[in-house]
Amino acid sequence: MTNERTAWGWGLASIDAAGNTLDVWYPQLTLGAAPEGANRPNHEFGALAQPQADARGVRREPVFTVSSLDDPIADAADAYLRLHLLSMRLAQPNTLNLDGIFAKLTNVVWTNYGPFAVEDFNARKLDVESAATSAVRSFAASAGLPAAAPAATVNVLSIDKFPRMIDYVVPSGVRIGDADRVRLGAHLSEGTTVMHAGFVNFNAGTLGVSMVEGRVSQGVVVGNGSDIGGGASIMGTLSGGGKLRNSIGEHSLLGANAGIGISLGDNCVVEAGLYVTAGTKITVWDKAKAAAGEPLDVVKGADLSGKDNILFIRNSVNGRIEARYRKTGIELNAKLHKN
């Protein structure tokens, strides 16, 4: 009897001339123990598998990957499997061992022709454009089209270790305004809308219906019915080497251009433009104390982290940051999030 968590599946790996794995695409993954030998299903990649390198200098090989989800990441194929699990909603953020993932991934030139190695990109770009342009003009000639058919162009989308999520996983019930702003490994629940300025990192995302117009950093989860306003920011765990994982509960609002370095509980609001960190001095509003002329309590932001029913505001008269009791949470437009 074992408590080891595993997942497995066939992936199609892109491998460059130096033998580096640029990416792996898993159309389907299964949780649980992997079948042995003859019981293992065949991959269905067919002609997509290319043992000979193409004009990019990349060959595409089927790989059968078994991942022990609590153990350190073994290699790039294992890393891609775990990222797929998150975007396929087979695992929630912060439930997989992703330690050291950057060291297992290769920096890649992501293009409309797929991944390229960084080192020989210029030469390979020339090879791809020459071959593609020849093919286009040959087709044009055979079809009786003008000889001056447009040349094919390799468009660089980014240079990064992580690709766009939707090139690998397209989750149901989700709207994404700008695909470049959602990394593979993002977890988007049904009913989530990521607007054009929104960003969702890997190992982060939503746990229910949500509006994302700001930045959801690595390790951050947003609860059902919550709204991340335009330009808003949530501190993640990557910058500064921090270990604290911030989150937002249900039916809460992070106002436009606001930010938090603490967690919000349920039914909370941070007013637009206000940034609350763990060290921020916050005055806790108490109506009875104020009426009696008694001093109000002042606490650090960390003392209110994760607590429910709080409105965070900056008093426009005296400039102090205040925490006030809020009875109910926000309500999102149900029609807007029926994707």
Side-chain angles (χ1 to χ4, degrees):
M1 192 70 165
T2 178
N3 292 323
E4 181 179 310
R5 298 188 303 150
T6 59
W8 58 274
W10 277 105
L12 188 61
S14 301
I15 303 173
D16 69 11
N20 299 311
T21 298
L22 302 181
D23 78 339
V24 185
W25 170 50
Y26 295 94
Q28 181 178 343
L29 290 172
T30 302
L31 296 174
E36 299 289 342
N39 295 322
R40 183 180 297 175
N42 294 321
H43 67 79
E44 303 293 338
F45 295 122
L48 291 177
Q50 299 174 349
Q52 302 300 319
D54 58 20
R56 295 173 299 156
V58 173
R59 64 184 190 275
R60 306 189 77 190
E61 296 185 356
V63 292
F64 187 79
T65 307
V66 180
S67 179
S68 297
L69 303 177
D70 297 313
D71 292 341
I73 297 171
D75 52 26
D78 187 3
Y80 268 89
L81 185 147
R82 299 184 198 208
L83 293 174
H84 276 72
L85 284 177
L86 290 162
S87 291
M88 290 175 171
R89 304 173 182 148
L90 295 175
Q92 290 190 359
N94 304 320
T95 64
L96 307 177
N97 185 348
L98 298 179
D99 293 345
I101 190 170
F102 285 92
K104 300 300 182 183
L105 298 177
T106 300
N107 216 26
V108 173
V109 182
W110 303 102
T111 79
N112 57 321
Y113 279 84
F116 283 68
V118 173
E119 291 69 23
D120 59 353
F121 173 70
N122 286 336
R124 297 298 185 181
K125 178 178 186 288
L126 182 62
D127 292 341
V128 170
E129 290 188 347
S130 296
T133 300
S134 295
V136 168
R137 288 177 176 168
S138 176
F139 172 79
S142 65
L145 298 174
T153 301
V154 175
N155 296 317
V156 176
L157 306 176
S158 66
I159 304 173
D160 196 4
K161 290 177 179 284
F162 293 80
R164 309 187 312 174
M165 181 188 75
I166 66 165
D167 291 331
Y168 297 80
V169 178
V170 178
S172 61
V174 166
R175 288 192 293 137
I176 299 173
D178 184 348
D180 291 338
R181 299 180 64 83
V182 180
R183 273 175 151 182
L184 181 63
H187 180 286
L188 302 182
S189 292
E190 290 222 12
T192 295
T193 297
V194 182
M195 295 298 288
H196 296 74
F199 171 78
V200 185
N201 210 339
F202 78 97
N203 194 37
T206 60
L207 304 181
V209 174
S210 185
M211 170 65 77
V212 179
E213 298 180 88
R215 187 176 77 239
V216 181
S217 302
Q218 193 271 352
V220 173
V221 291
V222 179
N224 180 54
S226 290
D227 186 333
I228 313 303
S233 172
I234 309 165
M235 283 189 187
T237 58
L238 292 179
S239 57
K243 296 294 183 182
L244 181 67
R245 298 188 184 277
N246 294 316
S247 62
I248 290 181
E250 298 188 352
H251 302 290
S252 290
L253 168 66
L254 186 58
N257 297 315
I260 52 172
I262 63 172
S263 293
L264 297 183
D266 298 339
N267 307 322
C268 291
V269 171
V270 179
E271 77 164 15
L274 177 62
Y275 210 115
V276 180
T277 68
T280 300
K281 296 296 180 64
I282 302 174
T283 299
V284 180
W285 176 256
D286 185 306
K287 186 176 181 180
K289 284 186 176 182
E294 299 177 10
L296 301 175
D297 294 336
V298 178
V299 301
K300 291 183 178 180
D303 297 325
L304 301 178
S305 182
K307 296 188 181 299
D308 301 335
N309 302 96
I310 299 177
L311 168 64
F312 294 90
I313 63 170
R314 184 180 296 277
N315 189 308
S316 60
V317 175
N318 55 35
R320 71 188 179 192
I321 297 174
E322 297 179 352
R324 298 184 175 227
Y325 175 73
R326 178 182 173 84
K327 185 176 181 180
T328 60
I330 67 166
E331 292 293 335
L332 296 179
N333 187 326
K335 292 181 180 180
L336 181 65
H337 294 275
K338 188 177 181 180
N339 298 333

